[in-house]
Amino acid sequence: MPDLSNLRIDGARLWDSLMEMGQIGGTPKGGCNRLTLTDVDRRGRDLFARWCSEAGLAMTVDAMGNMFARRAGTEAGLPPVMMGSHLDTQPTGGKFDGVLGVLAGLEVLRSLDDLNIRTRHPIEVANWTNEEGSRFAPAMVASGVFAGAYTLEQAYAIRDRDGKALGDELERIGFKGEAPCGGRAIRAMFELHIEQGPILEDEGIDIGVVTHGQGQRWYEVTLTGFESHAGSTPMPRRRDALVGAAKVVELVNRVGLDHPPLAVSTVGMLQPYPGSRNVIPGQVFLTCEFRHPEEAVLVAMDRALRDGIAAIAAEAKLDVEIKQVFDYPPVPFDEGCVGAVRRAAERGGFRHRDIVSGAGHDACYIARVAPTAMIFTPCVGGISHNESEEISPAWASAGTQVLLHAVLEIAEV
Ligand code: HGY
Ligand code: MN
Ligand code: MN
Ligand code: MN
């Protein structure tokens, strides 16, 4: 194998691409709002497709709108080594969550051309549809279909809070591709992503070698009481769904605190109905989610949630419906690929450490159908899913450098 240790990506070109993509859906606070399958998402997809075409890559869009830009290998029949992440963002997202992994993959392919390096395996960079799960729950649904966790029909039927169906929105923005979603061999997949937490920056580490993705459980809870007049309904006669919901919020927080140090629990959405200032809320819709690296702890948290909500509903005389919308076990990544990431970090002279991912990622589903690993870069203050999300150009380049070398090890020069 030729000495590749001095191969360098073009960090300035990568940074320019990140900044240009960040303008699409850019928000006044410097963040990004490119909610999946909106016209803004389409504009981001079109820019990515233009860049891939300029780089001479062959683009395939599959039935879930997943985009795969492919650089041919010297042996066409070999399965591709894949990179990539997602271009969709949270409504108050940043410029780097997901986007770094997609544009770093593009930078790797641009650099291989500059350096005139050919690999045996083809190499692809992917943009996975609806990683965030903010508009259409659950998250990572398109990589989930690719990995066989959901059928196409199940995914197409998912509706947003306005009742729009995922399949219809995919069609509307022109990204419902012909190619089947999944069912094809992949040699390996590497996802570069910001850590979205504080560990790497706090420890002065450049590269996270991600060994696992933690498990997640997402729920939708509907509490139903009875609307009535805020002025003339005596307190003992009320069936106030919002009072019950407030106790559920406290319960969810308690369940997280009761499983230290790694458990996390969050109520992200809470919608009282009818939402009138002088009507006792008759119904509340809320979402909650748990995460932990161990399945047994997630089972215990699930039990505590269900028992706790039943007690709250009985005491407040409310009806309750609990819908689990996402049950996602902890994911160990492939040792061979994790090793390739670690060797690439050492070759580049980067300070690195093993780390478990707090966030979910498309790589967590792809790990079900191909050897997969992730690379983390630090992010400023560990902040993400916030418009102030920030990384340094040096961190972006370091992560992309490691991605280049990990991919080259597996794609075989
Ligand atoms: O929620 C997550 O972990 C991911 O950012 N969708
Ligand atoms: Mn992400
Ligand atoms: Mn995210
Ligand atoms: Mn994610």
Side-chain angles (χ1 to χ4, degrees):
M1 176 146 160
D3 174 20
L4 306 172
S5 54
N6 58 0
L7 294 187
R8 291 285 175 273
I9 54 102
D10 181 336
R13 178 173 57 190
L14 168 65
W15 194 257
D16 289 349
S17 300
L18 286 164
M19 292 304 107
E20 187 172 344
M21 182 61 77
Q23 297 308 308
I24 299 180
T27 64
K29 290 186 189 171
C32 244
N33 178 5
R34 252 194 333 267
L35 218 48
T36 196
L37 305 186
T38 58
D39 290 335
V40 179
D41 181 22
R42 180 184 46 72
R43 287 176 33 224
R45 288 165 172 264
D46 289 345
L47 177 60
F48 175 59
R50 175 162 65 80
W51 282 339
C52 291
S53 164
E54 288 164 358
L57 304 173
M59 180 65 77
T60 301
V61 179
D62 75 11
M64 276 301 293
N66 297 314
M67 302 169 77
F68 304 98
R70 184 182 182 112
R71 182 174 192 264
T74 53
E75 298 180 39
L78 291 179
V81 173
M82 197 179 274
M83 304 175 284
S85 191
H86 61 94
L87 293 173
D88 69 310
T89 74
Q90 290 286 338
T92 54
K95 292 194 284 287
F96 305 100
D97 170 5
V99 184
L100 174 65
V102 177
L103 299 187
L106 174 59
E107 176 53 34
V108 164
L109 297 183
R110 285 167 164 168
S111 296
L112 290 179
D113 266 5
D114 295 345
L115 299 162
N116 199 17
I117 301 265
R118 299 305 318 173
T119 54
R120 286 187 61 229
H121 289 261
I123 306 177
E124 294 182 3
V125 56
N127 167 34
W128 297 102
T129 297
N130 186 38
E131 188 279 344
E132 290 294 0
S134 172
R135 181 184 177 194
F136 295 104
M140 295 103 75
V141 72
S143 50
V145 172
F146 190 94
Y150 309 102
T151 64
L152 211 49
E153 293 66 33
Q154 285 170 323
Y156 282 177
I158 297 171
R159 291 187 182 277
D160 66 11
R161 297 294 290 164
D162 300 326
K164 290 197 179 113
L166 185 151
D168 296 344
E169 287 295 278
L170 206 48
E171 186 117 49
R172 187 183 64 79
I173 69 164
F175 274 89
K176 195 177 199 177
E178 295 300 315
C181 180
R184 67 184 174 105
I186 297 176
R187 168 64 189 82
M189 192 243 191
F190 293 93
E191 181 170 1
L192 170 64
H193 205 287
I194 58 172
E195 178 199 339
Q196 300 180 294
I199 296 170
L200 297 179
E201 185 188 40
D202 286 354
E203 296 181 9
I205 302 276
D206 305 305
I207 295 293
V209 180
V210 189
T211 58
H212 293 71
Q214 66 176 347
Q216 309 186 32
R217 296 211 178 178
W218 290 18
Y219 305 85
E220 290 177 350
V221 179
T222 304
L223 295 157
T224 305
F226 189 74
E227 285 103 272
S228 55
H229 197 297
S232 51
T233 307
M235 297 304 276
R237 302 277 288 267
R238 295 178 175 213
R239 294 178 57 212
D240 187 331
L242 191 50
V243 169
K247 291 175 180 166
V248 171
V249 171
E250 173 53 33
L251 166 71
V252 168
N253 190 52
R254 168 62 39 213
V255 170
L257 293 171
D258 286 352
H259 294 82
L262 295 175
V264 286
S265 60
T266 311
V267 171
M269 291 168 73
L270 187 143
Q271 292 164 346
Y273 175 84
S276 168
R277 67 191 70 226
N278 50 356
V279 175
I280 298 166
Q283 190 167 76
V284 171
F285 168 86
L286 65 88
T287 66
C288 62
E289 61 137 277
F290 296 147
R291 305 201 193 189
H292 196 277
E294 292 160 43
E295 184 66 15
V297 175
L298 287 167
V299 170
M301 294 172 83
D302 177 273
R303 187 71 272 139
L305 177 78
R306 293 176 189 278
D307 293 350
I309 288 181
I312 289 165
E315 191 210 349
K317 300 187 290 298
L318 301 175
D319 299 322
V320 61
E321 183 205 2
I322 302 177
K323 211 169 115 197
Q324 185 166 327
V325 294
F326 196 24
D327 178 351
Y328 195 84
V331 177
F333 287 124
D334 173 78
E335 288 193 4
C337 289
V338 172
V341 170
R342 204 174 282 119
R343 285 186 288 277
E346 280 153 8
R347 194 173 300 142
F350 300 114
R351 290 159 299 178
H352 60 84
R353 58 157 278 174
D354 288 5
I355 191 168
V356 173
S357 175
H361 300 284
D362 295 306
C364 297
Y365 269 131
I366 304 309
R368 298 185 183 186
V369 293
T372 298
M374 292 192 73
I375 306 160
F376 274 177
T377 70
C379 52
V380 175
I383 296 167
S384 183
H385 285 195
N386 182 302
E387 293 165 274
S388 66
E389 183 183 274
E390 195 61 64
I391 64 172
S392 72
W395 286 341
S397 294
T400 308
Q401 197 67 30
V402 171
L403 179 64
L404 168 74
H405 285 284
V407 165
L408 284 181
E409 178 179 320
I410 306 294
E412 299 173 47
V413 176

